[in-house]
């Protein structure tokens, strides 16, 4: 199978660099073909701006969504964006790897999403009617592919637990897992999270590496998070509200969008 690993850490000799290398070696040992987009090494341009759309007349008002949709349709997106879109189409599984920075992904990776996920590619696609609301949340360009996050945190696991002060890690990662990965159709695997990694001794380091290698071995067999699919009856259209009879009593917020079983 083909695996794309999108890597967002500025230092190759970091823990994240070592984890990336371990993941690549393990995936290759499993017979997979791996490509890495090392965003800092590539000098990835993270801001979506006018320079992305040279076709736009200088006096035209920039609407990023519209401009990206038109450029996607005309196949004139910039070469760096097209290359990443091609890698995504090539991949059977996509891994986004990053250190947690201010409770989310580093800006360079967010900028990769902003620019690569053009209109017409990942959003603004499919029929909108009283039966369907576009191809999204379980449908879309990446349907049939898998995705997962590999994340390191400075904070303790307890601090990211249900009652921990940082908020539950699943909640913090929900906008990425559900909004960025599930939205355009990926089956999203539970994230690999290594907590409290700031000062690791050799045993701690080996433990994290081994846990990650184990997850790489089950990349194509692990069960995805059972997010509710949009066009399969769980939601009212067009309000996009979860049907009142669904969701366990007492469940609120993000957890409502995870079904007990698919
Ligand atoms: P490194 O600093 O490279 O390494 C961590 C440890 O692993 C060190 O002890 C190192 O010696 C050891 N190590 C590295 N490589 C090896 C190797 N090859 N062999 C053996 N040992 C090794 N944390 C949060 O929890 N929440 C936040 O919101 C948050 N925001 C942040 C915002 C910013 C801007 C920054 C800079 C940090 C933030 N952090 C936060 C902390 C951050 O998540 C951690 O610093 C990061 O996850 C550590 O990963 P790293 O790859 O940089 O580790």
């Amino acid at each position: 199978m083909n695996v794309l690993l999108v890597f967002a850490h500025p230092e190759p000799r970091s823990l994240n660099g070592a984890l990336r290398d371990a993941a690549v070696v393990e995936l290759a040992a499993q017979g997979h073909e791996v490509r890495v987009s090392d965003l800092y090494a590539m000098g990835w341009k993270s801001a979506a701006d006018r320079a992305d759309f040279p076709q736009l007349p200088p006096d035209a008002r920039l609407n990023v969504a519209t401009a990206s949709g038109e450029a996607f349709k005309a196949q004139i997106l910039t070469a760096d964006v097209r290359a990443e879109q091609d890698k995504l189409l090539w991949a059977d599984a996509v891994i986004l790897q990053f250190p947690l920075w201010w409770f989310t992904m580093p800006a360079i990776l967010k900028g990769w999403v902003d620019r690569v996920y053009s209109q017409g590619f990942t959003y603004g696609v499919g029929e909108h009617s009283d039966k369907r609301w576009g191809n999204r949340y379980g449908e879309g360009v990446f349907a049939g592919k898998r995705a997962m996050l590999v994340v390191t945190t400075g904070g303790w696991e307890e601090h990211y637990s249900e009652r921990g002060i940082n908020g539950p890690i699943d909640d913090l990662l929900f906008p990425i897992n559900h909004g960025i990965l599930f939205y355009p159709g990926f089956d999203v695997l539970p994230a690999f999270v290594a907590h409290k990694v700031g000062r690791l001794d050799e045993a701690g380091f080996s433990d994290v590496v081994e846990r990650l290698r184990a997850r790489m071995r089950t990349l194509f067999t692990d069960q995805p998070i059972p997010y509710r699919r949009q066009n399969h009856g769980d939601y009212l259209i067009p309000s996009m509200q979860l049907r009142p009879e669904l969701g366990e009593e007492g469940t609120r917020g993000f957890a409502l969008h995870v079904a007990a079983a698919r």
Side-chain angles (χ1 to χ4, degrees):
M1 304 292 249
N2 296 337
V3 182
L4 172 64
L5 193 159
V6 183
F7 179 73
H9 195 292
E11 173 55 66
R13 292 161 298 176
S14 60
L15 173 66
N16 269 274
L19 294 177
R20 172 198 58 191
D21 294 345
V24 169
V25 168
E26 186 61 49
L27 289 165
Q30 300 299 313
H32 303 310
E33 195 172 326
V34 187
R35 297 173 74 177
V36 176
S37 285
D38 183 341
L39 300 184
Y40 285 94
M42 291 157 66
W44 181 258
K45 169 183 177 290
S46 57
D49 61 17
R50 201 169 192 99
D52 290 328
F53 311 106
Q55 82 279 9
L56 212 62
D59 58 344
R61 181 174 165 270
L62 170 64
N63 177 308
V64 172
T66 307
S68 76
E70 287 169 359
F72 175 74
K73 201 168 167 195
Q75 299 184 347
I76 54 169
L77 285 164
T78 55
D80 58 346
V81 169
R82 274 185 287 148
E84 296 307 298
Q85 291 188 345
D86 288 345
K87 289 183 210 172
L88 283 163
L89 294 174
W90 165 86
D92 299 300
V94 175
I95 296 168
L96 304 183
Q97 187 192 339
F98 56 91
L100 197 71
W101 280 4
W102 288 109
F103 303 100
T104 187
M105 54 174 67
I108 199 168
L109 180 54
K110 178 58 164 48
W112 179 88
V113 178
D114 289 346
R115 296 185 58 234
V116 174
Y117 271 33
S118 67
Q119 190 186 66
F121 185 51
T122 53
Y123 68 100
V125 287
E127 165 197 334
H128 285 69
S129 67
D130 57 352
K131 300 267 185 311
R132 304 179 48 78
W133 202 250
N135 298 346
R136 53 175 214 169
Y137 292 119
E139 295 169 65
V141 65
F142 303 134
K145 299 174 186 281
R146 309 185 135 221
M148 89 179 254
L149 305 181
V150 171
V151 184
T152 61
T153 81
W156 301 16
E157 187 167 1
E158 296 95 305
H159 301 181
Y160 289 100
S161 64
E162 204 52 48
R163 293 170 66 84
I165 190 161
N166 292 340
I169 192 73
D170 286 344
D171 283 4
L172 294 173
L173 298 180
F174 183 91
I176 306 174
N177 277 334
H178 187 262
I180 292 175
L181 297 175
F182 187 59
Y183 185 105
F186 282 114
D187 285 331
V188 184
L189 304 180
F192 173 90
V193 184
H195 287 289
K196 203 181 175 186
V197 298
R199 279 187 295 274
L200 281 182
D201 58 16
E202 272 306 317
F205 173 75
S206 300
D207 176 60
V208 175
V209 169
E210 281 315 309
R211 285 200 297 119
L212 180 61
R213 289 181 59 194
R215 284 297 306 273
M216 293 299 99
R217 288 194 287 274
T218 57
L219 184 63
F220 288 98
T221 53
D222 281 341
Q223 283 300 311
I225 302 168
Y227 289 129
R228 297 179 185 278
R229 293 156 66 89
Q230 177 188 267
N231 295 319
H232 288 65
D234 284 5
Y235 295 91
L236 300 165
I237 299 176
S239 72
M240 285 302 139
Q241 299 274 307
L242 185 64
R243 289 186 176 279
E245 66 274 22
L246 296 178
E248 278 180 36
E249 210 176 314
T251 306
R252 303 183 60 195
F254 296 144
L256 278 173
H257 306 291
V258 181
R262 191 174 266 182

